[in-house]
Amino acid sequence: MSLTRAERFARLRLARTDRIGPVAFRQLLDRFRSAERAVEALPDLIRKGGSGHALPSPNRIEDEIAAGDRIGARLIVLGEADYPEMLAAVDPPPPVLWTRGDAALLTQPCIAIVGARIASAGGQRIARGLAQQLGQAGHVVVSGLARGIDGAAHTGALPTGTVAVLGGGVDDVYPPDNAALYEQIVEQGCIVSESPVGHRAQAKDFPRRNRIISGLSRGVVVVEAEIKSGSLITARLAAEQGRDVFAVPGSPLDPRAKGPNELLRQGAILCEGLDDIEREFGRARSVREPGPDNPFEGAPDGVDEALIERVAALLSPTPTPRDELARAADAPISAVAAALLELALSGRATLLPGGMASL
């Protein structure tokens, strides 16, 4: 799909609007059929909801694009042909990606390797060797540029291509002691982030980063991780996205083995080497981009205030499917979807993946 410059600009502007997360972004595109029309309609929706937030100014978006140009970064927006197909299948996909390096790697078969930041020498050797083998077998290795297992995986895959997904902007080198590795990946691989150029990573950015790591990949391999760790969050996200989860077993005497061993108890695939991964990938399966189903099909241009209030009264802190709300409100799903979108823009509802909503 080829997007005009105006549509690309509108999609970036919509993605940077306060309270417009990936779910609301996708629903606005579904409802208005283009970001340009959504941007035109949004001020009225925001004013109607009385939420007090607004679209970012065009100057702010121009500044972000200029900042990307200065460092040679490339912007890829959802809906473009170069947007990674595997990531487009995530519910919901990131609206925009900034990249540095060879963005073509994102469209090749990828597998993630993640694990402990404070990793053992043996764990790092396993990650580095497995990444090297995967690269030689035609896979692009994805990880998060963290210390320990991530860094070892990137290093092993550098000659064949590796992708580093960052929580901050594509110019935010974190941790700083991986600066040399970062520069090598810019030259030989690809740096990716959905955050604006210049953004410094915060704690809330890393779960979003982890969702992209798993979303780009056919599978995720966990090498050393404690029970409460970002690596296990990535594994959970991978399972939710329908991707394979592999775990390298370890000694029960090492706390860093507790995460992979627990994943194995939960049904993860034992990984002792490349053969285990190749065997699993040999099975006939595919992950495709979601179909053209549009919950806003046939939705009225304006949403009845009474319906908005009726839907609001049905919401609770427990996520509820959109079709259940439609049944309870005795209204078409399209009208309920439009009402939920307006409630979300006014801060009175939270839109969740899978057509769910809550207070």
Side-chain angles (χ1 to χ4, degrees):
M1 179 177 177
S2 179
L3 302 178
T4 65
R5 184 186 183 282
E7 177 64 15
R8 294 180 82 249
F9 188 91
R11 292 193 181 202
L12 179 56
R13 192 178 180 198
L14 196 60
R16 299 299 183 231
T17 302
D18 184 33
R19 292 188 188 169
I20 304 295
V23 177
F25 178 93
R26 190 66 178 256
Q27 295 202 5
L28 283 164
L29 285 188
D30 285 343
R31 180 172 176 183
F32 294 102
R33 302 293 185 175
S34 79
E36 287 184 87
R37 286 194 285 272
V39 165
E40 289 175 6
L42 201 55
D44 284 340
L45 293 175
I46 291 171
R47 197 159 42 245
K48 185 177 177 182
S51 58
H53 64 283
L55 281 158
S57 70
N59 286 344
R60 179 177 148 194
I61 302 306
E62 292 285 8
D63 288 345
E64 180 176 342
I65 292 171
D69 289 343
R70 281 194 296 273
I71 61 170
R74 177 184 172 194
L75 177 67
I76 303 174
V77 303
L78 182 64
E80 289 187 306
D82 292 340
Y83 193 95
E85 183 180 357
M86 291 292 289
L87 194 58
V90 172
D91 180 20
V96 300
L97 298 171
W98 278 104
T99 68
R100 291 192 73 191
D102 184 6
L105 291 172
L106 304 178
T107 61
Q108 296 180 24
C110 295
I111 185 162
I113 298 178
V114 297
R117 286 173 169 78
I118 305 175
S120 70
Q124 291 181 61
R125 185 178 69 251
I126 290 170
R128 189 163 48 249
L130 182 58
Q132 184 176 20
Q133 292 173 352
L134 283 165
Q136 291 169 348
H139 301 279
V140 173
V141 173
V142 181
S143 199
L145 198 67
R147 297 182 180 92
I149 297 300
D150 287 21
H154 287 308
T155 300
L158 267 175
T160 52
T162 186
V163 172
V165 186
L166 307 187
V170 287
D171 55 343
D172 181 35
V173 184
Y174 182 84
D177 47 348
N178 273 348
L181 178 58
Y182 170 94
E183 293 298 339
Q184 287 178 298
I185 295 173
V186 171
E187 291 297 320
Q188 298 175 251
C190 185
I191 303 288
V192 183
S193 174
E194 65 177 323
S195 297
V197 176
H199 177 72
R200 296 293 170 251
Q202 302 171 25
K204 65 179 182 180
D205 296 318
F206 291 103
R208 296 190 302 117
R209 183 273 308 262
N210 294 343
R211 140 181 155 274
I212 296 177
I213 291 174
S214 57
L216 285 168
S217 308
R218 298 175 66 190
V220 172
V221 183
V222 179
V223 184
E224 295 191 342
E226 297 197 19
I227 292 293
K228 293 183 178 180
S229 67
S231 299
L232 262 62
I233 292 174
T234 307
R236 175 178 58 78
L237 291 167
E240 290 173 356
Q241 293 164 352
R243 314 300 161 88
D244 289 317
V245 177
F246 300 88
V248 176
S251 167
L253 300 177
D254 187 345
R256 291 168 292 205
K258 289 188 179 296
N261 290 351
E262 178 60 26
L263 288 174
L264 290 168
R265 278 191 285 270
Q266 294 175 7
I269 302 157
L270 177 73
C271 180
E272 293 181 314
L274 176 65
D275 289 347
D276 294 313
I277 297 172
E278 296 279 72
R279 187 183 310 114
E280 195 64 26
F281 285 168
R283 301 181 184 185
R285 286 169 303 150
S286 64
V287 179
R288 282 187 277 274
E289 188 170 352
D293 295 341
N294 185 346
F296 296 90
E297 202 71 57
D301 290 337
V303 186
D304 180 55
E305 286 292 338
L307 176 60
I308 292 176
E309 295 306 319
R310 201 153 72 243
V311 172
L314 292 169
L315 292 171
S316 75
T318 302
T320 306
R322 190 167 44 218
D323 57 349
E324 282 189 21
L325 293 169
R327 275 195 296 272
D330 192 23
I333 288 181
S334 59
V336 170
L340 285 170
L341 184 56
E342 295 208 11
L343 286 167
L345 292 173
S346 66
R348 298 172 63 194
T350 301
L351 300 179
L352 302 167
M356 309 281 277
S358 68
L359 287 177

